[in-house]
Amino acid sequence: QVQLVESGGGLVQAGGSLRLSCAASRGIVSINAMGWYRQAPGKQRELVAAITGGGSTNYANSVKGRFTISRDNAKNTMYLQMNSLKPEDTAVYYCNARLTPYSGPPGPYWGQGTQVTVSS
């Protein structure tokens, strides 16, 4: 069964940095687009950053210039470097990948989420 496992969340002071990772399990034929989403309490889940298989990226306006998304295709892993963190970045961060597994349907898969808390 395909799994996406996030890591790297935690508690950090405003102005600090964190690096999130999202590793896809074995058994994957290919991964196309990947992205990071976040959901704060009482709010809808929103796209933070996305990256295509070819490396093109796009960002939410709120994180442009502070966050950087990247991926290592050889390791089936995606990263989100978050700098100059603000209290409003506090949320559960989820990774998403459009992939084709060896067994199971192709489509979007989600990780379990990792908590990021930024204190003021």
Side-chain angles (χ1 to χ4, degrees), residues 81-95:
Q81 178 65 44
M82 305 185 294
N83 298 329
S84 302
L85 282 161
K86 303 176 181 180
E88 51 263 45
D89 294 317
T90 295
V92 178
Y93 284 69
Y94 298 89
C95 78

Side-chain angles (χ1 to χ4, degrees), residues 6-14 16-21 36-41 48 66-67 80-94 113-119:
E6 300 107 334
S7 61
L11 173 64
V12 65
Q13 289 187 334
S17 298
L18 285 174
R19 189 192 194 208
L20 305 184
S21 299
W36 288 99
Y37 290 73
R38 67 186 180 187
Q39 187 167 18
V48 176
R66 300 188 297 121
F67 291 9
L80 185 68
Q81 178 65 44
M82 305 185 294
N83 298 329
S84 302
L85 282 161
K86 303 176 181 180
E88 51 263 45
D89 294 317
T90 295
V92 178
Y93 284 69
Y94 298 89
T114 185
Q115 177 70 46
V116 171
T117 302
V118 184
S119 63

Side-chain angles (χ1 to χ4, degrees), residues 60-71:
N61 288 334
S62 59
V63 307
K64 281 181 181 177
R66 300 188 297 121
F67 291 9
T68 302
I69 189 172
S70 61
R71 62 191 287 174

Side-chain angles (χ1 to χ4, degrees), residues 25-76:
S25 63
R26 299 178 181 179
I28 295 172
V29 175
S30 63
I31 301 178
N32 193 358
M34 303 182 78
W36 288 99
Y37 290 73
R38 67 186 180 187
Q39 187 167 18
K43 294 188 177 181
Q44 290 187 332
R45 190 173 297 189
E46 63 174 356
L47 176 66
V48 176
I51 185 167
T52 66
S56 296
T57 60
N58 70 280
Y59 297 90
N61 288 334
S62 59
V63 307
K64 281 181 181 177
R66 300 188 297 121
F67 291 9
T68 302
I69 189 172
S70 61
R71 62 191 287 174
D72 184 334
N73 291 331
K75 295 181 179 179
N76 285 345

